[in-house]
Amino acid sequence: MKRRKFDVAALPAKAGGEIDDRLQVSAPLRRLFNKVFPDHWSFLLGEIALYSFIVLLLTGTFLTLWFDPSMEEVHYNGPYTPLNGIEMSRAYESSLQLSFEVRGGLIMRQMHHWAALLFMASIVVHMLRVFFTGAFRKPRELNWVIGVLLFWLGFVEGFAGYSLPDDALSGTGLRIAHAIMLSIPVVGTWVATSLFGGEFPGTVILGRLYIAHVLLVPAILLGLIAAHMGLLVKQKHTQWPGPGRSNDNVVGVRMFPGFAAKGGAFFMVVFGVIALLGGLFQINPVWLFGPYKAAVVSAASQPDWYVMFLDGSTRLMPPWEARFPLWPGHHYTLPPLFWPTVFLPGVLTMLPLFYPFIEARKFKSKQSHHLLQRPRDVPTRTSLGAMALAFYFVLMISGANDVLAEKFHISLNAMTWAGRIGLLLLPPLAYWVTYRICLGLQQHDREVLAHGMETGIIKRLPNGAFVEVHQPLSPVDAHGHPTELPYAGWVVPKKMNRIGALVPTVKGFFFPVEEAAQRTLPAEAPVSPAPSREGIGSGKH
Amino acid sequence: MSTHTDVDFDVKDPSLTRFDLVKEGARRDGVEIVHYAPRFPVPGTRAEKRVERTIAFMLVLSGLLGLGFVVAYIWWPWKYEPGNGLDKLYNPVLGITLGGSLFLLGIAIVTWAKKLLPEEVSIQERHDVADQAERALTGATILNMVDETGIKRRPLLKGALLVGAAPLGVAAAAPLVGGLIKKPDHILFETAWKPADGHKVKLTREDGSAVRPEDVSVGGQMTVYPGVPHGASNEHADSPVLLIHLREKDASELRANLKNVAVNAEDGGAIWGNFVAYSKICTHAGCPASLYEQQTNRLLCPCHQSQFHITDNARPVFGPATRRLPMLPLSVEDGVFVAKSDFRVPIGPGFWERP
Ligand code: HEM
Ligand code: FES
């Protein structure tokens, strides 16, 4: 037998064959390649969260190589001269060293912090998208529950990270966290003393927060994110209603190459934006804050944005302390801190966790839903969401009420009272206004479907009256009246150029970069018959 | 997926194009490619070339920026030095090169996917109706598992299992609980001001030097720490105190108000002359309440804006705090300030066992 020449071009196919001989992966692999994903900009929000999490893992791992969570007292002696000779913890010193003495350490710290802010922001906006479009309905309740847990874990993870550098802001936040633990009835002092290993701050808390921050919580986050993705693949993505789309299919592009290319590219974009932020915009300059000292705090010390709503709720809470004379001579105390920082977060966890099930009960809905709903079509839910948002924003703004009071020369006490009253009044108002808006939008959709869209053309009738000519969307009946179209749960065109009555705009800046489209060609419907195979799949076997 | 396999399809048939195979593969995966058209039906037009050039340009620029990052990372002066040296630009340069490189790479690939990949609409069926037959078979299998163990018929084993496994469960939790749990004890009720072996604790500055009455001018105040080893460090985070030298008018107002507060009025008075000392640790959540407003005699906590009226014995008059700042009983011995005793109530934030 003659020895065959080594053929490089055939190598991938041959290697693939060898792998398939052993693992039989052809079919599952192809099923993955062929998986169809629907496309809509709002589906990218969750991706931002995923990508910033990856950036957090990468930058965070870099930081661990230098960061030292020790609370041992040292005297600084380094290139940042203003702090020379100052007593500080080793953790704070190592954060300074990361910022000034590690090549690229500062950009890594700043990228890590920016990525954390982006991670939480994208989680929140992604949750809003899922909520307002009803994507959490059966069969996706479990993924909604995982999402809520991801938010709170991200919150805890971020707080732990914020506490690590042991600067003045970290320590202040940690001391408040200690007070929050103390406020829990019956077990509070035990919880706080156990976690801090004695008094505040003690010497163990940073080490414990550190292992939570770099191992325990990331591991749980990773597991939950994996489950989140797994469920997404198993249950397939929801889609907006539209031509050819139904509750029993997914219309979009196959995972490879189109969807995967866009996903990978979007990761690069998110990563790039975080790198730009980390390089250009200073964040958490711990050297300016100084080391944590129990007796020192500066005004306007602000937590990261995702903690601010709890800061706000704490500020608005009236001084209501409950005391329980359980037996003669013994009083027990329930401090007011308990309500805004333990009770409220408890409610804010439980309500969203159970919301999908409560709503399904209320709407008596038992079947699976794969088509998204436009917010206007479910006014009750949309208005509840608006109410929650109003509540959240009042709290968040109150978290910065001292800064606002100073900037706008308002008395701080007035800001606090405005927040207290706003917290009670604005949410119901938001509910009512949103409900009205939803109904109005619905009505306008139905009008256009029944009578056609406004053309802007005014006609004068023989009797002298002026009417606007409407372009019906449907065929007209014998009397020239349009037949009413049913509402399909999707955007109703309301402007003439949305139905091709105007020439599409030509792209370009000063000069056209493309020829104007030929108007004679009929535009192809989004779903058209399969094309002939000439010109595309020409590679014959 | 066996449901989609079609025995009539011969993959070896030479008349089939590759796209026929692609479509058959997709069909077996429950996917129908209903629209598939090249972006540029006529290859090689100027428009297509332009898109290609744009993408190529972005890719090359991305590569250059990436290279720039590596060069800057290695050769740019990065060591921090006081002043406005080039090292201050190190971070921005890294950010622009790395960020720009990644960003452009991303945009290039997106453009590629949007402008060059064939326009496609595919439809995949969902199969999310649970198979009732499968469910029944699996249910039976599970119930049979339970039966096989015979746990229902053998109550002795059921009980023994419980007795055997429960302690093991407790054993698993024991190290965690046992190691971590710490009794709160006295720590929330005592501070470093507690006299040790009959020696009263001096009020000291951060550097450990004692404080004399003449060190604080009328209307002034000073943060003081217990005169014990590491008294000013975080080891005694519960002990910082604000020593205030009140003006005569304010001092008499305070004295008048103190008459109603038994705990601070006893023992010959806890204030010394016109000097008074309050715990700096806010009774709300433990921040240092340290912004003293001279005109109104209010002490403001910057964390949640609780305000304490000093001449009314540090009563909380605004914000979420509910308790007065505890007063440190003052005296002067050998010309320097000392604490007569520890605080008479627990300092700092409230807790369940606090009377
Ligand atoms: C969702 C995930 C994460 C979030 C939200 C987060 C958030 C934060 C924040 C806000 C800081 C303070 C940064 C600063 O110094 O300005 C921080 C510090 C830190 N993080 Fe993370 N992080 C996450 C994941 C990780 C991971 C996975 C690691 C390591 C494997 C890590 C390692 C570190 C280290 C070592 C520090 C201290 C660095 C320093 O302050 O000098 N983080 N983190
Ligand atoms: S800690 Fe002082 S007001 Fe909250």
Side-chain angles (χ1 to χ4, degrees), chain A residues 145-167:
Chain A
V145 167
I146 292 180
V148 174
L149 296 181
L150 279 173
F151 169 83
W152 280 113
L153 272 171
F155 183 97
V156 170
E157 176 74 351
F159 184 82
Y162 191 83
S163 303
L164 288 180
D166 204 21
D167 58 286

Side-chain angles (χ1 to χ4, degrees), chain B residues 162-345:
Chain B
L162 217 67
V163 173
L168 201 60
V170 176
L176 185 66
V177 175
L180 205 61
I181 293 277
K182 208 158 173 158
K183 205 163 167 238
D185 272 346
H186 58 278
I187 55 176
L188 292 163
F189 296 89
E190 278 176 17
T191 72
W193 295 106
K194 188 179 166 185
D197 325 320
H199 291 294
K200 291 179 183 150
V201 180
K202 284 182 194 151
L203 275 62
T204 58
R205 296 187 185 78
E206 199 171 349
D207 61 9
S209 59
V211 181
R212 297 166 182 280
E214 54 273 27
D215 294 341
V216 188
S217 53
V218 179
Q221 77 258 289
M222 179 191 272
T223 300
V224 294
Y225 305 88
V228 298
H230 305 284
S233 78
N234 288 342
E235 206 177 300
H236 297 292
D238 52 2
S239 302
V241 157
L242 194 66
L243 175 67
I244 307 171
H245 189 173
L246 293 169
R247 284 163 295 200
E248 184 55 45
K249 174 175 70 72
D250 300 331
S252 32
E253 191 181 328
L254 175 61
R255 267 190 287 270
N257 280 323
L258 278 181
K259 291 211 180 76
N260 316 325
V261 191
V263 68
N264 277 323
E266 71 195 21
D267 195 10
I271 67 179
W272 188 88
N274 290 349
F275 289 85
V276 63
Y278 284 109
S279 163
K280 234 186 145 176
I281 308 305
C282 182
T283 55
H284 176 235
C287 288
S290 49
L291 307 179
Y292 190 57
E293 234 183 31
Q294 291 242 356
Q295 283 97 345
T296 54
N297 280 315
R298 284 184 180 195
L299 194 59
L300 174 86
C301 175
C303 281
H304 314 101
Q305 287 94 42
S306 287
Q307 293 161 23
F308 302 90
H309 197 44
I310 291 301
T311 51
D312 193 2
N313 194 22
R315 186 169 62 87
V317 286
F318 191 80
T322 48
R323 304 252 182 164
R324 297 167 191 273
L325 293 171
M327 185 191 278
L328 186 71
L330 275 185
S331 179
V332 170
E333 285 181 5
D334 304 330
V336 300
F337 277 117
V338 294
K340 276 202 233 173
S341 71
D342 203 347
F343 296 101
R344 289 166 184 150
V345 289

Side-chain angles (χ1 to χ4, degrees), chain A residues 172-191:
Chain A
T172 304
L174 208 51
R175 181 146 215 179
I176 296 174
H178 181 254
I180 291 171
M181 290 175 205
L182 284 182
S183 78
I184 304 171
V186 187
V187 295
T189 51
W190 288 80
V191 171

Side-chain angles (χ1 to χ4, degrees), chain B residues 21-291:
Chain B
L21 296 181
V22 168
K23 284 204 294 187
E24 171 62 13
R27 199 186 61 77
R28 292 188 186 191
D29 297 335
V31 174
E32 193 189 352
I33 304 173
V34 290
H35 173 82
Y36 193 78
R39 295 279 167 180
F40 294 97
V42 186
T45 57
R46 268 178 51 213
E48 184 180 6
K49 287 265 161 57
R50 196 161 37 232
V51 173
E52 272 179 31
R53 272 201 307 274
T54 313
I55 296 174
F57 174 73
M58 288 194 279
L59 287 175
V60 171
L61 198 60
S62 162
L64 285 178
L65 282 170
L67 205 63
F69 174 78
V70 176
V71 170
Y73 189 80
I74 298 176
W75 283 293
W76 197 282
W78 64 274
K79 270 226 158 86
Y80 179 88
E81 267 161 35
N84 280 325
L86 271 182
D87 61 299
K88 299 294 174 302
L89 289 180
Y90 184 61
N91 228 35
V93 167
L94 291 190
I96 289 170
T97 48
L98 179 64
S101 173
L102 289 164
F103 189 82
L104 280 172
L105 181 59
I107 299 293
I109 301 175
V110 168
T111 315
W112 193 325
K114 286 207 153 173
K115 298 271 158 123
L116 295 184
L117 290 186
E119 213 177 286
E120 167 185 334
V121 176
S122 295
I123 301 188
Q124 183 163 31
E125 307 156 32
R126 288 183 192 275
H127 300 280
D128 67 339
V129 184
D131 187 329
Q132 294 301 325
E134 291 292 342
R135 189 182 292 181
L137 298 179
T138 308
T141 310
I142 294 174
L143 290 179
N144 197 44
M145 274 185 231
V146 179
D147 277 357
E148 278 168 338
T149 62
I151 194 101
K152 285 203 188 126
R153 282 184 294 110
R154 304 188 176 106
L156 175 65
L157 282 183
K158 202 196 252 175
L161 188 66
L162 217 67
V163 173
L168 201 60
V170 176
L176 185 66
V177 175
L180 205 61
I181 293 277
K182 208 158 173 158
K183 205 163 167 238
D185 272 346
H186 58 278
I187 55 176
L188 292 163
F189 296 89
E190 278 176 17
T191 72
W193 295 106
K194 188 179 166 185
D197 325 320
H199 291 294
K200 291 179 183 150
V201 180
K202 284 182 194 151
L203 275 62
T204 58
R205 296 187 185 78
E206 199 171 349
D207 61 9
S209 59
V211 181
R212 297 166 182 280
E214 54 273 27
D215 294 341
V216 188
S217 53
V218 179
Q221 77 258 289
M222 179 191 272
T223 300
V224 294
Y225 305 88
V228 298
H230 305 284
S233 78
N234 288 342
E235 206 177 300
H236 297 292
D238 52 2
S239 302
V241 157
L242 194 66
L243 175 67
I244 307 171
H245 189 173
L246 293 169
R247 284 163 295 200
E248 184 55 45
K249 174 175 70 72
D250 300 331
S252 32
E253 191 181 328
L254 175 61
R255 267 190 287 270
N257 280 323
L258 278 181
K259 291 211 180 76
N260 316 325
V261 191
V263 68
N264 277 323
E266 71 195 21
D267 195 10
I271 67 179
W272 188 88
N274 290 349
F275 289 85
V276 63
Y278 284 109
S279 163
K280 234 186 145 176
I281 308 305
C282 182
T283 55
H284 176 235
C287 288
S290 49
L291 307 179

